[in-house]
């Protein structure tokens, strides 16, 4: 099943994850954690800002490590159930279609509108701590981003080998990391304008939903290979 199309879907969904309610509106909080100070002090002090950017890199590395590990795990599960692979593919196609319908607003799933939050008091940032923080927050985001990452994990499980399965999750992570790190570099401008950006979330979500439905149908009919440009 592995092809260039699924990798484009992965990077798009990584980008979409950045605009979810558990990420974009809370960016000031995340950057405060990574800097170990308030946003006001962060904007004034270039040295602290530099530390925050370095820790932001560690943060997305933590996210990436967990995502790639999950990709390997998904491949292991699929290999174990290879006898039932055709049934799993069809069931997964139906599930992704349902996820797509949820994204375009046909119905709501309360479980995925919740977010588990962690409180960090007296947090002193460092590269290693920020990397571990990225892994920790990955679990905290799961109820909020579960539909997105679940879709990519399912597609990754059908890749030809573990390297490609992990690679798809890496591409997903890159899709998230790009806007996250850009917002860290342009902290002042982004914090002041993120509400303007967030207003386009519904349109982005609609596009993602339609894309998921198309992918679900093609997964069910085993026709994803038709999208490969040769």
């Amino acid at each position: 099943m592995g092809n260039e199309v699924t990798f484009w879907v992965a990077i798009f969904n990584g980008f979409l994850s950045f605009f979810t309610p558990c990420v974009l509106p809370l960016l000031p909080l995340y950057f405060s954690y990574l800097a170990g100070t308030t946003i006001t002090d962060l904007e004034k002090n270039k040295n602290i800002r530099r530390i925050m950017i370095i820790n932001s890199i560690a943060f997305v590395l933590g996210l990436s490590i967990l995502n790639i590990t999950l990709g390997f795990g998904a491949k292991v599960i699929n290999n174990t159930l290879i006898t039932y692979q055709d049934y799993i593919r069809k069931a997964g196609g139906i599930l992704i279609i349902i996820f797509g319908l949820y994204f375009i607003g046909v119905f709501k799933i309360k479980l995925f509108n919740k977010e588990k939050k962690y409180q960090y008091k007296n947090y002193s940032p460092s590269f290693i701590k920020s990397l571990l923080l990225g892994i920790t927050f990955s679990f905290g985001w799961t109820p909020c981003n579960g539909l997105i990452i679940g879709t990519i994990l399912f597609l990754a499980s059908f890749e030809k080998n573990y390297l490609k399965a992990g690679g798809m999750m890496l591409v997903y992570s890159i899709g998230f990391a790009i806007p996250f790190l850009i917002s860290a570099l342009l902290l002042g401008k982004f914090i002041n304008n993120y509400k303007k950006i967030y207003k386009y979330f519904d349109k982005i979500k609609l596009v993602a939903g339609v894309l998921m439905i198309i992918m679900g149908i093609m997964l069910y009919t085993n026709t994803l290979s038709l999208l490969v440009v040769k």
Side-chain angles (χ1 to χ4, degrees), residues 85-132:
Q85 193 173 52
D86 194 50
Y87 296 105
I88 295 171
R89 173 180 54 77
K90 289 183 178 180
I94 293 172
L95 192 61
I96 291 174
I97 291 171
I98 292 172
F99 287 172
L101 292 173
Y102 164 80
F103 261 74
I104 64 177
V106 173
F107 55 84
K108 295 182 178 180
I109 303 175
K110 291 183 179 180
L111 174 64
F112 295 108
N113 290 328
K114 296 180 180 180
E115 173 201 359
K116 186 177 180 181
K117 297 181 180 179
Y118 294 94
Q119 299 294 325
Y120 291 83
K121 296 182 179 180
N122 301 319
Y123 177 71
S124 177
S126 69
F127 189 89
I128 297 299
K129 287 182 180 179
S130 297
L131 187 143
L132 295 175

Side-chain angles (χ1 to χ4, degrees), residues 1-6 218 223-230:
M1 185 184 300
N3 55 62
E4 295 89 343
V5 176
T6 52
M218 299 194 79
T223 54
L224 277 174
S225 59
L226 295 177
L227 296 177
V228 180
V229 178
K230 297 182 179 180

